Every structure is written in structure tokens, then in C-alpha cells.
């Protein structure tokens, strides 16, 4: 039966619909056409009611279309018995799948998060709001992506974030000025730096004052005075520098939650409170704890811990800022203003005020503000930011221009066709934001661990305190407090929370800089796990347009240029794609001035006839020449056979009744195609090619490129079957196509990649898009994905290993064997460095440089 699907926005939606339908009993196969919003379900008794029930509780609703409401539904093929009996096939039942309400994606900038448990709390609050379909937070970038099923919820989203704890949020606009993002980051960084340097400036004298007591000696300053000075110096550190930790702790208590602020506040607060009590009421402590009449205090521990944590946060914030450089760089590409023709005047207006239909004037050296079509003038435009091609592209009336590209030479006027969030650059930025805000599958496990991590650490710290108070050596309270604080401080959910998103943020950002747009973290991960590639031929392995690739003379070699001139002049009157290839081929060979034919005749399916400068010119196939009674001769047949074996189309050219030349037209293979196929083979891929071309043509192209498996004469609706056949072998399939005709196969594949050229980029069709159609970027995308996955694994290993080993050591498990305890100051330094190391390791992805193809 034919199914109509509404509301699908990406290949992931198509895959969800397909997999849901395939899970219904008696459904044998499902083909989903994302762009047409259709699906074909082959079944042996499945009912519409069962299909409707399968989507209950999901973001899709299922309903039957009213009779006659569907648009040009493709009827199911009639059975043989129906055709024999003349029975008309009844119209198939139709399902309509649509999102509940208009789905809108909202981006938020979230501040105040301290660890991965904050992510879990805020996401839970957002998802609990009615009308929210999905919420995902990237801890590394401090951003949230929320999918709404009802309009007007923005203010409630902000309120929900603030209600979750000590957090704040604001909306991020699609074309937001990068200066705003830079200013926000700069303010946060400057505030953190001020707190750090104040804490550092006070922690150093506090540490100097504490050294005599730490060494068991009497200093020049009386003990009570010394402790009073330490207290006075510690107060600004605890009340101002550590203020955000304690405010976050209080807010978390109100929300009945716990986060990194909880651990820091309890740890440093306990050391500080113990020290204050020891300073003002030493008599409450047992004699064993005041051998010289004074209790040993830990002001330096609290102050240095706060200083080290602030140092780690400062380094981390700087590194995280660099992680988002790519998206800020993309936004920064756009022009700030546009010169628009209004009436008889030209005025400069902000880019966000440009509307569709405006006439925009671009001067030499200026940026193209928005997307549009040239209506006047000529110039050369640098489109390297989209296509990667460094050579400027000539533009004349009728040509499309892309916003943010750079005009080089002349000036021109164009009519705006896409503005704001509809421009190519805005769509690229949105796709990068979506990818950076999404989560890899492994991150969901990390989030669940992080959600219970802080409570577990608090329990572990309390148990440590209890055990040392029960069986520890004297002074037990001092030992117990030291280990209690060390356990709280060394625990680091920050490293866990940063391990995956920082790598995803940097990896997808680097990909965008290289012209590789990942739709999500899941797409990036899926590409890195692929081991089979299905490459569409036309437009992917080839240029996608016919071209004159060879001209073989039959007889007089010296007249090649003259004969090509006559042939091109005749073909210039034809509208056939092969004719355009010959005319363009003549121009490429320096033949630009073509004579006008005196007579022209087109013979459908055979060729053309024309009179050029008094010469009778025939161009076409063998049938045309045989009809005209022109003998081919013995030398023509081998040439035709050679072209057939190479998968090229042969055109015979006859002048005044004699065959003079054989022209070969083909869709040329891209220069980098063979190197890309070889690179995929070297990486362990099984490479296949699929095409609608004849078997001979397909085999010839595959042989040139070294492709071992060929799916030829494949209809568009059957392209997904080639992918399924490889998946049936247990392979994880990468499908590469143009993103339009190949939409079903892209959706069927484990990861689909659309090859695009900027304005035609198929962002909604696949898990990733390669701008410019360069196959070298396909190999680079795979290598980048593998490198990112390796970085994530490294980050997670060290984050988990650090906590698994660090917490027991901080609790004192080595004391019975070594007599040593972990100083809380060392624990604070280790905790701070764990987060910095994870972010720094991820930042290495910024230096990823694709290997050149061989």
C-alpha cells in the first residue's frame, strides 16, 4: 500500500518511520521517500489499524486521509488476475504521519552549569514541560537545543532552566552577531579570572602562615594571632572567590539536587568551619587534637582548594571557548550590511532588514549579503567558503550567488531569493549547531552515570568519615576530616561531562571548516563505524553532466579543428544535452566563433542534419548514417567497439556524405574519484557503485575506478535494495549520493552522505553533507569521524579511570600499606587538571589535517 508521510524533517525521521513500520507483523518491506513524503509498504495482511497503533505514544500522529484528499497517489500495481478480469484496483488506504503541532527548534545559551549532573537536571526540567518534544544540552558549549511542538513556549523554557538550580538561559538567534557571543564569553572569562587572581593573591600568604604548623614548629607569630590572620585572609576567598560554589550549592539544595558545587562547597566549607571552630573554641576538641594548646587549622587547605579549582575552571573555560571557534567563525563570514536599491536611491541597511525581492548591489571587494540571482552586471566571486574551490566563479545575469561569498572584480546587482535563516550560510550554521548540541549514543550512558555520581560521592565521603572516626589513629577527627574533604574534592563529574561533548563540538566544528557538515553526533559516530560504501555514480563519482571526451578522425587528421567547428555549429541549434557537450568541448579547444547554420533538421532518436558554410553536416548514430546511405568503412567499427567497452556514447560525424570523425561523449569521472576509492579500500571498506546506467557503462566506470561490486540498471525506487543487501551481510553501510534521487537509499543506510554544491546542498536528506562534491572530503569525513571517536574513547577512559582510582586513594585505602594520605590540596589540583586534560585532548582535533589522496 502507498503511505503518505508528513512531518519528516531529516533522514533520521525517515529511518524511524521505516523501522517502526517494518516492526509490524506481516510487513515485508518498507520504502520511505523523504523528499516526496511518501512510503510504499509491501505486506501480506497488515492492517491500517495496526500501523496506527504502532505510532501511539510517539511524536507522530496517525490518521486516515479523507477519501480524495491525497495528491496524485501512485496506485499500487494491479495483479495479473485483476488485469485479466478487468477489475479496477481499489484506491489503497493512506496513512498520514505528522508531528503534533508545528515542530520548532530553539537554541538556548545556558550559564551556571558546573558538571554533567547539571545537564541531567536541566534536560529533565525542559522535557517535563508540555509541548517539548526533545531537549539536549551540550555541557562543553553551554548550549541547549529544544524541539517544540507548540509555539510561544520560549519564556517557559527560560523559566524552567532557572527553576532547575543556579542557572540562567537566553535565546540564541539563527544569525546572531558573533560579537555578542564573544562578549558573553569574554565577560564570563574576565569574572572568573578576577576571582582566581584574588584567591591566588590571598592563598599564597595563607599558605606561608600555615607552614610552621604544617612542619610541627613554632613560627615567629603567636599561634592564635597566626590563625586570626589566616582567617582574615581566608574570608574574601570563601565569601567572594568561592561565592558561585556556595550559591550553586544552596540553589541545588532548594531544587533537592546535587552537583559539582555541592562537592566543592561541602569539602571547602567543612575545612573552613572546622578551622573557625578550632580558632575560637579549641576547648571543644579532645586533648589529642591540641597537643600544644591549639588545634591544627585548615584555612590553607580551603583557600588553596578554591584557588586550584578556579584555576582549572579558568583553563577549562578558555579551552571550551576555543572549541566553539568554528561556529563563531562561520557566523563571522556573513556581511554586516547590504546596499539595497530602494526606488531611485541606493541605501545601506543591516543585513537582517533585507527581504526577499530586494535588489542588492555588490561592489568589487564586497561580500554578497544574502542568496540571490544576478540580474545585471558581471563579476568573479570567490565561493571557496562553500565549495572549497579557490578559483573565483564567473557570474553573469541568471547565475545564482551565495551569501557570505566574496566578490572579486566587477560589480553586479542581484535579486534576493533567500534571507535570514533561509540562506545557505544560515542553514550551514544551523546544521553545525544541531550537530554540536546533539549527543553521541555513548553520552546517554555517561549522563545516567553523572546523574547519580554526586550522591554516590557524598555517600562515599560520609562512609570515609565514619570509618576513620571509628578505627582511624589519633587524632581521628583530623584524619577523618582530611580524607572526607579529599574524597569530595577529587571526585570529578566535570571530566565525565566534558569527555564526549568537547570532542563532538571540536570534531564537528573542524568538519564544517573542511566543508563536511554532520547532522548529529550520532551521524558522526555511525560514519566512523561504517565498513561498506555504496557510491552513486552520476554526480558523485562523475561530474554529473556529459562532456566531449574524445574525437577520433576517420581519414584526414589535419582537418580536425575545421570539422569540429562545423559539427559544433550544427549542434549549437540543438537542445539535446549531448549537443551542449559538443559545443562546450569545442569552446574548451579554443573554437569560440561558430558560423550560423543555413539549414537545420533534428531527427528524434537518430541525430541532426544541417548545412554549415555550404557543407552538408550529419551528426548522429549508426542508424542515421545507414538511412542516409553513407558507408561506415572498416575503420569505424573498432572505434565504436572501443567506446562501447568504455561506456561512452559515440556520435558519428559525416561531411558531404563521408564519415569524417567519431566523437565520444561521456559523463567524466571526477579527477579524485579513483584516489578516493583506493583510500576507502585502504581503510577496509567494501566499495560498491550503483547507477541506472546500462551494465556495460557501469562496468566500464567501475573498472576504471577499481570498484569490485556494481549495481547497474537500478531504478530510483530500487536503490535502497542495494543498501539492504549489504546490511543483510552484517555490514554497516555508508551511502553516498546527491541527496535527492537517492533519498530512500540515504535513509536506509546506517549513515547517508549527500554530495552538495552549496545552493543545492541536500541538508535534509542525509546524516552528513559534503559541500562542493569533492570526494576527497568524503575520505576526510571518515578519518575525522574515526579520530573523534578515538578521542572520545580516550577521554572517557581517563575520566572513569581517574575517578575509579582517585576516590579510593583519597579515602585512604593506601594508608595501611604506605602510611601516606592524599592531601586535599593535591586532590584539588588533580581534579582541576582532569577536566583541563579532557578538554585539551579534544582540542587536538582542531589540528586535524586530511591526508591527500594518492
Amino acid at each position: 500500500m502507498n503511505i503518505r508521510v508528513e512531518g519528516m524533517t531529516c533522514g533520521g525521521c525517515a529511518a524511524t518511520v521505516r523501522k517502526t513500520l517494518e516492526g509490524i507483523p506481516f510487513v515485508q518491506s518498507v520504502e520511505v521517500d523523504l523528499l516526496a513524503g511518501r512510503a510504499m509498504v509491501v505486506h501480506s495482511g497488515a492492517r491500517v489499524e495496526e500501523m496506527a497503533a504502532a505510532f501511539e505514544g510517539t511524536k507522530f500522529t496517525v490518521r486516515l486521509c479523507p477519501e480524495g484528499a491525497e495528491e496524485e497517489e501512485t496506485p499500487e500495481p494491479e495483479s495479473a488476475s485483476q488485469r485479466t478480469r478487468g477489475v479496477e484496483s481499489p484506491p489503497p488506504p493512506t496513512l498520514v504521519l505528522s508531528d503534533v503541532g508545528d515542530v520548532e527548534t530553539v537554541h538556548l545559551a545556558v550559564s551556571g552549569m558546573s558538571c554533567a549532573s547539571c545537564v541531567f537536571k536541566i534536560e529533565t526540567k525542559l522535557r517535563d514541560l508540555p509541548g517539548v518534544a526533545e531537549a539536549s544540552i551540550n555541557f562543553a558549549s553551554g548550549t541547549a537545543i529544544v524541539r517544540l511542538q507548540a509555539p510561544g513556549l520560549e519564556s517557559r523554557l527560560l523559566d524552567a532552566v532557572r527553576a532547575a538550580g543556579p542557572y540562567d538561559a537566553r535565546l540564541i538567534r539563527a544569525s546572531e552577531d558573533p560579537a555578542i557571543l564573544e562578549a558573553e564569553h569574554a565577560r564570563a572569562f574576565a569574572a572568573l579570572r578576577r576571582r582566581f587572581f584574588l584567591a591566588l593573591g590571598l592563598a599564597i600568604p595563607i599558605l606561608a602562615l600555615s607552614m610552621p604548623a604544617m612542619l610541627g614548629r613554632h613560627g615567629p607569630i603567636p599561634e592564635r594571632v597566626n590563625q586570626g590572620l589566616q582567617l582574615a585572609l581566608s574570608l574574601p576567598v570563601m565569601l567572594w572567590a568561592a561565592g558561585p560554589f556556595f550559591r550553586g550549592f544552596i540553589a541545588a539544595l532548594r531544587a533537592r539536587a546535587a552537583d559539582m558545587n555541592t562537592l566543592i562547597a561541602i569539602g571547602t566549607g567543612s575545612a573552613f568551619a572546622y578551622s573557625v571552630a578550632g580558632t575560637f573554641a579549641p576547648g571543644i576538641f579532645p586533648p589529642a587534637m591540641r597537643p600544644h594548646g591549639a588545634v591544627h587549622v585548615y584555612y590553607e587547605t580551603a583557600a588553596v582548594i578554591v584557588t586550584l579549582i578556579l584555576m582549572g575552571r579558568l583553563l577549562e573555560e578558555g579551552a571550551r571557548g576555543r572549541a566553539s571557534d568554528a561556529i563563531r567563525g562561520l557566523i563571522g563570514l556573513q556581511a554586516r550590511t547590504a546596499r539595497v536599491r530602494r526606488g531611485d536611491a541606493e541605501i545601506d541597511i543591516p543585513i537582517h532588514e533585507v527581504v526577499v525581492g530586494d535588489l542588492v548591489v555588490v561592489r568589487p571587494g564586497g561580500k554578497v549579503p544574502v542568496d540571490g540571482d544576478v540580474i545585471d552586471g558581471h563579476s568573479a566571486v570567490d565561493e571557496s567558503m562553500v565549495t572549497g574551490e579557490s578559483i573565483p566563479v564567473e557570474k553573469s545575469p541568471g547565475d545564482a550567488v551565495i551569501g557570505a561569498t566574496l566578490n572579486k572584480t566587477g560589480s553586479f546587482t542581484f535579486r534576493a531569493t533567500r534571507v535570514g535563516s533561509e540562506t545557505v550560510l544560515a542553514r550551514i550554521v544551523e546544521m553545525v549547531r544541531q550537530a554540536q548540541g546533539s549527543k553521541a549514543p555513548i553520552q546517554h550512558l555517561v549522563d545516567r552515570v553523572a546523574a547519580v555520581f554526586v550522591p554516590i560521592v557524598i555517600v562515599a565521603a560520609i562512609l570515609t568519615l565514619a570509618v576513620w572516626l571509628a578505627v582511624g589513629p589519633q587524632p581521628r577527627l583530623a584524619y577523618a576530616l582530611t580524607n572526607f574533604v579529599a574524597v569530595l574534592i577529587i571526585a570529578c563529574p566535570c571530566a565525565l561531562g566534558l569527555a564526549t561533548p568537547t570532542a563532538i563540538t571540536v570534531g564537528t566544528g573542524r568538519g564544517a571548516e573542511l566543508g563536511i557538515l554532520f547532522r548529529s553526533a550520532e551521524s558522526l559516530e555511525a560514519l566512523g563505524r561504517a565498513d561498506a560504501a555504496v557510491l552513486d555514480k552520476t554526480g558523485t563519482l562523475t561530474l554529473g553532466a556529459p562532456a566531449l571526451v574524445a574525437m577520433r578522425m576517420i581519414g584526414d587528421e589535419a582537418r580536425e579543428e575545421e570539422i569540429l567547428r562545423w559539427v559544433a555549429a550544427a549542434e549549437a541549434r540543438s537542445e539535446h544535452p549531448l549537443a551542449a557537450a559538443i559545443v562546450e568541448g569545442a569552446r574548451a579547444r579554443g573554437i569560440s566563433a561558430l558560423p550560423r547554420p543555413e539549414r537545420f533538421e533534428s531527427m528524434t532518436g537518430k541525430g541532426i542534419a544541417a548545412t554549415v558554410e555550404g557543407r552538408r553536416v550529419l551528426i548522429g548514430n549508426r542508424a542515421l548514417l545507414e538511412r542516409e546511405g553513407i558507408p561506415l568503412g572498416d575503420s569505424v567499427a573498432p572505434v565504436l567497439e572501443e567506446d562501447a567497452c568504455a561506456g561512452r556514447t559515440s556520435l558519428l560525424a559525416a561531411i558531404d556524405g563521408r564519415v569524417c570523425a567519431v566523437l565520444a561523449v561521456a559523463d567524466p569521472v571526477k579527477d579524485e574519484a579513483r584516489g578516493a576509492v583506493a583510500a576507502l579500500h585502504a581503510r577496509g571498506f567494501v566499495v560498491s557503485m550503483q547507477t541506472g546506467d546500462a551494465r556495460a557503462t557501469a562496468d566500464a566506470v567501475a573498472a576504471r575506478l577499481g570498484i569490485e561490486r556494481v549495481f547497474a540498471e537500478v531504478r530510483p525506487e530500487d536503490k535502497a535494495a542495494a543498501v539492504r543487501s549489504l546490511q543483510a551481510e552484517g555490514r554497516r553501510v555508508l551511502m553516498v549520493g546527491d541527496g535527492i534521487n537517492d533519498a530512500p537509499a540515504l535513509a536506509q543506510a546506517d549513515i547517508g552522505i549527500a554530495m552538495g554544491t552549496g545552493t543545492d546542498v541536500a541538508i535534509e536528506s542525509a546524516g552528513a553533507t559534503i559541500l562542493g562534491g569533492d570526494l576527497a572530503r568524503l575520505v576526510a569525513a571518515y578519518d575525522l569521524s574515526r579520530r573523534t571517536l578515538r578521542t572520545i574513547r580516550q577521554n572517557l577512559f581517563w575520566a572513569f579511570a581517574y575517578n575509579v582510582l582517585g576516590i579510593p586513594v583519597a579515602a585512604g585505602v593506601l594508608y595501611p600499606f604506605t602510611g601516606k594520605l592524599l592531601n586535599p590540596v593535591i586532590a584539588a589540583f588533580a581534579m582541576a587538571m582532569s577536566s583541563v586534560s579532557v578538554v585539551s585532548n579534544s582540542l587536538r582535533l582542531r589540528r586535524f589535517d586530511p591526508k591527500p589522496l594518492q
Side-chain angles (χ1 to χ4, degrees):
M1 66 176 67
N2 289 312
I3 294 176
R4 188 168 165 199
V5 184
E6 294 180 353
M8 293 189 296
T9 59
C10 64
C13 296
T16 299
V17 171
R18 174 179 54 78
K19 290 175 182 177
T20 302
L21 291 172
E22 285 179 340
I24 299 171
F26 304 109
V27 170
Q28 298 169 343
S29 67
V30 179
E31 296 286 350
V32 179
D33 187 338
L34 171 64
L35 298 181
R38 313 278 176 132
M40 170 68 77
V41 179
V42 178
H43 64 93
S44 58
R47 296 180 300 169
V48 171
E49 293 79 6
E50 294 173 319
M51 296 184 185
F55 289 93
E56 289 181 0
T58 68
K59 69 175 182 178
F60 298 105
T61 58
V62 179
R63 61 182 173 85
L64 286 173
C65 265
E67 188 173 351
E70 53 270 22
E71 302 172 357
E72 298 182 8
E73 293 289 348
T74 303
E76 289 186 292
E78 296 178 350
S79 65
S81 61
Q82 287 175 323
R83 288 195 301 270
T84 302
R85 297 171 186 169
V87 178
E88 185 177 346
S89 298
T94 305
L95 289 177
V96 175
L97 309 183
S98 61
D99 287 322
V100 181
D102 295 329
V103 175
E104 177 186 3
T105 300
V106 175
H107 295 268
L108 305 177
V110 182
S111 58
M113 294 187 294
S114 62
C115 65
S117 61
C118 299
V119 172
F120 181 81
K121 286 189 297 183
I122 298 174
E123 285 183 347
T124 301
K125 282 285 187 181
L126 291 173
R127 289 169 181 161
D128 287 345
L129 285 177
V132 172
E134 183 56 50
S136 177
I137 292 179
N138 185 311
F139 177 48
S141 62
T143 58
I145 296 178
V146 186
R147 285 172 53 84
L148 304 178
Q149 294 176 328
L153 294 179
E154 287 81 358
S155 61
R156 294 177 61 188
L157 296 178
L158 303 182
D159 292 339
V161 172
R162 292 161 186 152
Y167 316 114
D168 199 5
R170 69 168 183 83
L171 294 172
I172 301 176
R173 303 189 182 279
S175 57
E176 185 169 278
D177 191 327
I180 297 176
L181 300 176
E182 292 287 354
E184 285 184 354
H185 178 261
R187 283 195 298 270
F189 190 78
L192 195 55
R193 185 171 52 195
R194 286 193 298 270
R195 294 182 188 276
F196 165 68
F197 280 113
L198 180 134
L200 179 64
L202 296 175
I204 292 174
I206 295 172
L207 193 60
L209 289 169
S210 67
M211 288 303 294
M214 293 172 63
L215 297 173
R217 300 173 183 173
H218 291 287
I221 303 175
E223 191 70 25
R224 298 296 296 273
V225 176
N226 185 304
Q227 291 182 358
L229 289 174
Q230 290 187 51
L231 172 60
L233 293 171
S234 298
L235 280 173
V237 177
M238 301 303 293
L239 295 179
W240 187 75
F245 304 143
F246 288 95
R247 286 194 294 273
F249 168 55
I250 294 171
L253 279 181
R254 289 173 179 167
R256 298 181 180 179
D259 58 18
M260 191 67 198
N261 291 321
T262 305
L263 301 180
I264 297 171
I266 293 177
T268 59
S270 299
F272 185 76
Y274 173 91
S275 301
V276 171
T279 299
F280 292 103
I284 66 173
F285 294 92
M289 297 187 65
R290 41 188 174 89
H292 305 292
V295 177
H296 180 76
V297 292
Y298 295 93
Y299 292 117
E300 86 289 344
T301 297
V304 173
I305 286 174
V306 169
T307 302
L308 289 173
I309 292 173
L310 287 172
M311 180 191 71
R313 291 275 176 92
L314 190 67
L315 295 173
E316 179 187 314
E317 186 68 24
R320 286 164 65 176
R322 293 193 297 276
S324 299
D325 279 349
I327 195 166
R328 285 196 292 271
L330 285 172
I331 297 173
L333 290 174
Q334 66 186 4
R336 298 288 179 269
T337 61
R339 174 161 287 247
V340 177
R341 188 176 295 161
R342 297 278 171 87
D344 295 331
E346 293 181 2
I347 58 174
D348 291 324
I349 62 174
I351 188 173
H352 64 267
E353 294 182 8
V354 180
V355 297
V356 173
D358 270 342
L359 297 181
V360 184
V361 179
V362 183
R363 290 171 290 191
K367 282 188 176 181
V368 179
V370 295
D371 299 356
D373 296 323
V374 178
I375 63 171
D376 182 51
H378 296 78
S379 186
V381 178
D382 180 359
E383 296 184 342
S384 58
M385 75 95 178
V386 172
T387 65
E389 178 56 57
S390 59
I391 301 175
V393 180
E394 295 293 328
K395 299 293 181 181
S396 56
D399 291 335
V401 289
I402 304 169
T405 54
L406 182 63
N407 184 33
K408 286 290 191 180
T409 54
S411 62
F412 60 89
T413 301
F414 72 92
R415 189 181 305 279
T417 57
R418 293 189 183 93
V419 300
S421 62
E422 297 301 317
T423 64
V424 169
L425 179 63
R427 291 162 65 200
I428 290 173
V429 170
E430 176 65 15
M431 191 170 186
V432 176
R433 276 182 174 154
Q434 292 276 9
Q436 293 187 341
S438 63
K439 295 186 177 183
I442 186 62
Q443 181 63 27
H444 296 291
L445 172 62
V446 175
D447 286 346
R448 288 195 292 271
V449 173
V452 298
F453 183 85
V454 173
I456 290 175
V457 171
I458 293 175
V459 170
I462 293 173
L463 288 175
T464 299
L465 181 69
V467 170
W468 279 92
L469 286 175
V471 300
Q474 293 293 344
R476 290 178 180 174
L477 182 57
Y479 280 114
L481 178 66
T482 298
N483 294 321
F484 173 75
V485 173
V487 170
L488 291 172
I489 297 302
I490 200 170
C492 189
C494 292
L496 287 175
L498 291 168
T500 300
T502 50
I504 294 296
T505 298
V506 180
T508 53
R510 181 57 181 149
E513 293 173 346
L514 296 171
I516 304 162
L517 304 181
F518 290 102
R519 171 169 295 281
S520 65
E522 185 176 5
S523 300
L524 187 146
E525 181 173 331
L527 176 57
R529 301 186 189 283
D531 57 8
V534 178
L535 309 178
D536 183 57
K537 181 184 82 70
T538 306
T540 299
L541 292 169
T542 66
L543 295 178
L548 178 62
V549 296
M551 180 174 177
R552 280 68 50 85
M553 298 299 297
I554 307 297
D556 191 355
E557 300 285 343
R559 301 180 63 198
E560 178 177 345
E561 182 176 336
E562 182 182 29
I563 290 173
L564 179 57
R565 179 170 168 270
W566 289 336
V567 169
E571 293 285 15
R573 294 283 302 274
S574 174
E575 297 181 355
H576 197 282
L578 298 184
I582 292 175
V583 173
E584 186 60 34
R587 288 174 179 164
R589 289 163 172 78
I591 304 173
S592 55
L594 300 177
R596 180 181 294 274
E598 292 128 28
R599 295 181 58 190
F600 177 83
E601 179 186 1
S602 176
M603 290 160 279
T604 303
K606 293 184 175 62
I608 64 169
T611 301
V612 181
E613 295 182 339
R615 303 283 185 173
R616 171 71 171 169
V617 180
L618 284 175
I619 307 124
N621 56 22
R622 183 197 297 259
L624 174 63
L625 270 65
E626 290 175 348
R627 193 191 76 170
E628 296 292 326
I630 299 175
L632 298 183
D634 297 335
S635 59
V636 173
V639 176
L640 297 180
E641 185 177 353
E642 177 187 345
D643 285 346
C645 293
R648 299 183 296 210
T649 300
S650 299
L651 296 176
L652 300 169
I655 308 296
D656 292 336
R658 186 175 68 84
V659 177
C660 296
V662 179
L663 296 89
V665 177
D667 184 4
V669 172
K670 291 180 179 178
D671 293 338
E672 73 277 8
R674 184 172 181 82
V677 171
L680 290 174
H681 280 142
R683 286 156 176 78
F685 274 83
V686 172
V687 182
S688 306
M689 183 186 77
Q690 67 175 5
T691 178
D693 289 351
R695 169 62 63 177
T697 301
D699 287 343
V701 173
R704 286 184 60 191
L705 299 179
I707 296 175
E708 61 268 29
R709 299 180 68 168
V710 179
F711 300 93
E713 301 176 7
V714 179
R715 297 177 300 174
E717 60 269 25
D718 295 332
K719 286 190 173 183
V723 175
R724 278 199 299 271
S725 67
L726 288 169
Q727 290 173 328
E729 299 174 9
R731 298 190 177 276
R732 294 179 289 271
V733 181
L734 158 66
M735 168 66 197
V736 187
D738 63 12
I740 297 175
N741 295 331
D742 303 306
L746 290 168
Q748 172 68 41
D750 296 274
I751 171 66
I753 293 185
M755 306 295 283
T757 56
T759 54
D760 195 33
V761 64
I763 288 179
E764 299 298 335
S765 304
T769 300
I770 304 295
L771 297 180
D774 186 353
L775 281 168
R777 292 181 179 176
L778 171 64
V779 180
Y782 175 77
D783 289 345
L784 177 60
S785 175
R786 295 286 296 180
R787 181 82 63 86
T788 304
L789 288 178
R790 185 163 68 246
T791 301
I792 289 173
R793 287 192 291 268
Q794 291 169 350
N795 289 349
L796 289 175
F797 172 80
W798 289 112
F800 276 107
Y802 166 83
N803 285 287
V804 168
L805 297 176
I807 293 176
V809 171
V813 295
L814 298 180
Y815 183 80
F817 309 101
T818 64
K820 302 290 184 181
L821 293 175
L822 183 66
N823 190 305
V825 170
I826 303 301
F829 179 79
M831 187 274 286
M833 290 301 100
S834 66
S835 297
V836 173
S837 64
V838 164
V839 178
S840 300
N841 188 44
S842 298
L843 284 176
R844 294 190 305 123
L845 290 168
R846 296 177 66 197
R847 299 196 298 270
F848 171 80
D849 193 18
K851 296 180 180 179
L853 299 179
Q854 300 298 322

